[in-house]
Amino acid sequence: PAEFLHNASAGTLTLDEIFMFTMVHDINVRDDDGYTALLLAARDGNINTATMLLDQGVDVNQTDGEYGWTALNMACINDNTVMATMLLRRNANINAEETDMTTTLMTMAEEGKTHMVRFLLDHHAKVDLEKDDGKTALMLACEKGHAETAALLINRGRANVNHEDTIGMTALMLACENGHTGTAELLLYHGANVNQAAMSRWEHLTQRRGTTALMLACAYGHAETAELLLNHGANINLKN
């Protein structure tokens, strides 16, 4: 199995080798990291190997078994749109969720890979899906200050700018908490509620209940961000 998986990773796997291997072993055998031959081929950009494996009936949506990573996820992480396009044509689930319910679109948004976000949106990835903490792709982009990515999600994907995660945080709050003034300005331009207060979905999570974007900007010392919020009508007298 080790040689089979190595060849899949290296792109030297042949059809005869696949036939011989499957006479004795499971084609979905994994390495110590939980990667199958398809996942290795997708990760390392070996499109011919990946195609041969799929032709032999390998499940295009198989995961690594621990984190929930798929071949499509690995192709996109490595900016390989050729591999990703092939996988999508072979019915890869563009909205497949990792173990924490993160989708490939969320991962690309969080990393600020605007070109890959555009690619996924072009292939109809769902924009407002939530991971296990309630965050969406837009929220993850804004938390990291990826304004260009956020703009694409809003303009092309029609992302909900006022969506709340499980503790009531919004994209604007996350941007302001981290001092991303440009991203906050983008959100306000697109209708983010400047005075929206955090309201947890869960009764036992009350630590940020009533908190606003202005409170967060001030608490973390982001004066420029706070000034922006005040200029957009933030209420300085609200209490959490």
Side-chain angles (χ1 to χ4, degrees), residues 19 59 126 133 139 147 177 209:
F19 284 147
D59 179 7
K126 292 182 179 178
D133 61 4
M139 297 176 76
E177 181 178 37
R209 186 167 295 171

Side-chain angles (χ1 to χ4, degrees), residues 41-102:
R43 183 194 68 183
D44 296 328
N46 300 315
I47 194 164
N48 289 336
T49 299
T51 300
M52 284 192 295
L53 290 165
L54 292 171
D55 287 343
Q56 299 309 307
V58 170
D59 179 7
V60 70
N61 292 310
Q62 64 183 203
T63 69
D64 71 320
E66 181 175 0
Y67 300 106
W69 294 335
T70 65
L72 178 62
N73 182 266
M74 292 186 171
C76 290
I77 286 172
N78 289 291
D79 300 327
N80 193 335
T81 55
V82 175
M83 176 71 76
T85 299
M86 184 277 289
L87 293 167
L88 288 168
R89 287 175 177 168
R90 301 296 291 260
N91 297 317
N93 181 1
I94 199 168
N95 297 309
E97 298 176 346
E98 298 174 20
T99 51
D100 64 355
M101 298 176 65
T102 298

Side-chain angles (χ1 to χ4, degrees), residues 5-233:
L5 292 170
H6 171 78
N7 291 344
S9 175
T12 58
L13 199 62
T14 66
L15 193 57
D16 286 343
E17 188 176 356
I18 293 173
F19 284 147
M20 293 295 293
F21 184 84
T22 54
M23 291 176 65
V24 181
H25 302 284
D26 180 3
I27 198 170
N28 296 309
V29 64
R30 299 177 183 275
D31 66 10
D32 292 339
D33 295 319
Y35 291 172
T36 64
L38 177 63
L39 295 176
L40 291 168
R43 183 194 68 183
D44 296 328
N46 300 315
I47 194 164
N48 289 336
T49 299
T51 300
M52 284 192 295
L53 290 165
L54 292 171
D55 287 343
Q56 299 309 307
V58 170
D59 179 7
V60 70
N61 292 310
Q62 64 183 203
T63 69
D64 71 320
E66 181 175 0
Y67 300 106
W69 294 335
T70 65
L72 178 62
N73 182 266
M74 292 186 171
C76 290
I77 286 172
N78 289 291
D79 300 327
N80 193 335
T81 55
V82 175
M83 176 71 76
T85 299
M86 184 277 289
L87 293 167
L88 288 168
R89 287 175 177 168
R90 301 296 291 260
N91 297 317
N93 181 1
I94 199 168
N95 297 309
E97 298 176 346
E98 298 174 20
T99 51
D100 64 355
M101 298 176 65
T102 298
T103 65
T104 302
L105 180 67
M106 293 176 196
T107 301
M108 297 300 98
E110 185 172 26
E111 294 185 5
K113 292 191 173 186
T114 307
H115 59 295
M116 292 308 302
V117 169
R118 182 177 293 108
F119 170 84
L120 292 165
L121 291 176
D122 286 344
H123 288 83
H124 311 296
K126 292 182 179 178
V127 173
D128 286 329
L129 294 177
E130 303 177 15
K131 56 178 296 194
D132 57 3
D133 61 4
K135 288 187 175 69
T136 63
L138 177 63
M139 297 176 76
L140 293 167
C142 292
E143 187 172 25
K144 295 297 179 67
H146 301 309
E148 183 182 0
T149 305
L152 181 64
L153 289 165
I154 295 168
N155 293 322
R156 285 281 303 279
R158 300 292 184 264
N160 180 0
V161 297
N162 291 310
H163 177 87
E164 300 176 3
D165 67 13
T166 54
I167 62 170
M169 295 285 282
T170 65
L172 181 63
M173 293 175 195
L174 292 168
C176 292
E177 181 178 37
N178 292 285
H180 301 309
T181 307
T183 304
E185 187 171 18
L186 169 77
L187 291 165
L188 291 167
Y189 176 80
H190 287 282
N193 183 350
V194 71
N195 289 312
Q196 187 165 342
M199 293 298 292
S200 173
R201 299 180 192 178
W202 315 115
E203 288 300 321
H204 65 286
L205 295 176
T206 61
Q207 67 268 34
R208 288 198 167 182
R209 186 167 295 171
T211 299
T212 65
L214 179 60
M215 293 177 194
L216 290 165
C218 292
Y220 288 93
H222 304 307
E224 182 183 0
T225 308
E227 184 177 1
L228 171 74
L229 294 168
L230 289 168
N231 290 337
H232 282 79

